[in-house]
Amino acid sequence: MKEPDLLPPPAPSRQDGDRRGGRVGPWLLALGGVALAWVLADVLMLVFAGLLFALVLRALAAPLEARGLSPHLSLPLVLAALVALLVGSFWFVGAGATEQLQALRETLPRAWAAFLQWMAEYPTGRWLQSLWESAKPFEDWSRLAGLATGTLNAATGAVGALVLLLVIGIYLAADPDTYRRGLITLVPPPRRALAARTLDATGRDLSRWLLGQAVSMLVVGALTGIGLALIGSPLVLSLSLIAGLLEFVPYFGPIVSGVLIVGVALAEGEGLALQALLVCVAVQQAEGYIVQPLVQRWAVRLPPVLGMCSVLVFGVLFGLPGVLLAMPLMVLTMTLVGELYVRRLPGASP
């Protein structure tokens, strides 16, 4: 009969412990990073918005630097040109836009009343109206305002956040290489080449998306203004500005601007509202079938489902800033997945 082995089991070697630590360490670091990002979500959204502004400044300064101008001079020239453009725009259209926005605020209650009166003429409309009144989704307006602005830091405020965004963007654009090297230094040496390639790809994709989005916003705003002017709609300037700005929020932004435009036109009559609806549809069709195919040749374009999901997901995670920055956040996510995962799969293109 074999005697039992009374010797203690061998102690785990240091190499085994290092392997286990190497497997667990990155996961713990990732979880800690996610928890920290959740706590500092508002700060990260502000920094990310500043990064987007920095990319815009660098894209505007790049042609000047390509012609031999010093980087220390190109950025101040770009900033001076932007300030002059804003001052000039306000000088020529600012007063009219301010008056129209004030008139728009006064017109909205009348448009809402006209919409309710139009719905009351149809059985389905009366049923929807009674359902709306029984639900009372916006009974507490102060709570709604708190939800809409709750993601902003109360001490900073919207104006302070905008100032910080501009300052962060200017500092990042003034010396991007310093911050790039700093981020790469935080990565272990064997992974620094991958980190550098990922940062370059992220900046390239975000810059292309911003450029394509700027073209779409300008086209939508201009076409909306032309269409509304042709049908004789009121408040053409303010409505076209709103349509162009809301184009930054994909899919949901054009819906909101379209409802607003049709509602204002409905206050003047059903015929004008129908014409305004046709203008909104025509503008979106032109943007989708003419502008976007041209922009897609050099800009980043996400599939429609990913675009809609990005608004929902990042809106739930980060509130109103997540809705406004949903598309660039999704572009960032897709670039990181492509560089850090897809390109490292067996058989993937280098």
Side-chain angles (χ1 to χ4, degrees):
M1 182 176 180
K2 185 178 179 181
E3 295 182 358
D5 190 2
L6 299 179
L7 296 176
S13 64
R14 181 177 180 180
Q15 185 177 4
D16 294 336
D18 292 341
R19 283 198 296 266
R20 287 195 294 269
R23 290 193 297 266
V24 177
W27 288 104
L28 291 178
L29 184 62
L31 291 176
V34 170
L36 184 62
W38 181 263
V39 174
L40 302 177
D42 293 342
V43 177
L44 292 179
M45 290 296 99
L46 186 62
V47 172
F48 183 69
L51 173 62
L52 295 179
F53 181 58
L55 290 174
V56 172
L57 295 179
R58 293 307 309 166
L60 295 176
L64 298 178
E65 296 176 4
R67 294 178 179 271
L69 190 64
S70 171
H72 298 289
L73 295 177
S74 61
L75 184 61
L77 286 178
V78 168
L79 291 174
L82 290 177
V83 172
L85 179 62
L86 290 176
V87 172
S89 300
F90 183 79
W91 179 265
F92 286 106
V93 301
T98 303
E99 294 176 359
Q100 287 204 10
L101 289 174
Q102 178 65 27
L104 177 62
R105 189 177 68 174
E106 299 172 356
T107 304
L108 287 180
R110 187 159 54 92
W112 178 250
F115 176 70
L116 293 179
Q117 183 179 358
W118 176 77
M119 289 186 61
E121 297 177 0
Y122 303 95
T124 304
R126 290 192 295 269
W127 176 77
L128 291 175
Q129 187 175 351
S130 62
L131 183 64
W132 177 272
E133 293 176 353
S134 62
K136 295 181 179 180
F138 302 136
E139 184 178 5
D140 190 354
W141 289 98
S142 62
R143 182 182 178 189
L144 177 64
L147 289 176
T149 60
T151 54
L152 294 177
N153 192 308
T156 305
V159 176
L162 179 60
V163 172
L164 285 176
L165 186 155
L166 297 177
V167 172
I168 291 173
I170 292 172
Y171 272 102
L172 289 175
D175 192 10
D177 292 335
T178 298
Y179 303 100
R180 180 179 180 273
R181 288 194 301 267
L183 289 175
I184 295 175
T185 304
L186 298 176
V187 180
R191 303 293 184 183
R192 288 179 181 175
L194 176 62
R197 187 183 70 190
T198 302
L199 288 177
D200 294 339
T202 300
R204 181 189 66 246
D205 290 348
L206 285 175
S207 299
R208 290 180 177 178
W209 180 86
L210 285 170
L211 184 58
Q213 194 65 25
V215 172
S216 297
M217 292 170 66
L218 289 175
V219 171
V220 168
L223 292 180
T224 301
I226 294 173
L228 294 180
L230 290 176
I231 66 174
S233 175
L235 308 175
V236 174
L237 182 58
S238 60
L239 291 176
S240 59
L241 286 175
I242 292 174
L245 292 175
L246 287 179
E247 185 67 18
F248 191 83
V249 181
Y251 310 107
F252 298 98
I255 293 175
V256 174
S257 64
V259 170
L260 182 62
I261 291 172
V262 174
V264 171
L266 185 61
E268 305 295 328
E270 295 184 6
L272 187 61
L274 179 59
Q275 296 177 24
L277 177 61
L278 294 177
V279 167
C280 294
V281 173
V283 169
Q284 289 303 315
Q285 293 299 312
E287 192 267 343
Y289 290 99
I290 298 177
V291 178
Q292 286 301 331
L294 297 176
V295 171
Q296 286 179 15
R297 297 178 181 180
W298 40 265
V300 175
R301 180 69 173 175
L302 293 179
V305 174
L306 286 181
M308 288 185 287
C309 291
S310 67
V311 177
L312 298 175
V313 171
F314 291 114
V316 171
L317 291 177
F318 305 116
L320 183 60
V323 173
L324 298 178
L325 300 175
M327 287 295 281
L329 284 172
M330 182 56 73
V331 172
L332 173 65
T333 302
M334 295 300 296
T335 304
L336 292 177
V337 171
E339 294 293 330
L340 300 179
Y341 177 71
V342 175
R343 291 189 60 175
R344 301 180 65 187
L345 292 175
S349 59

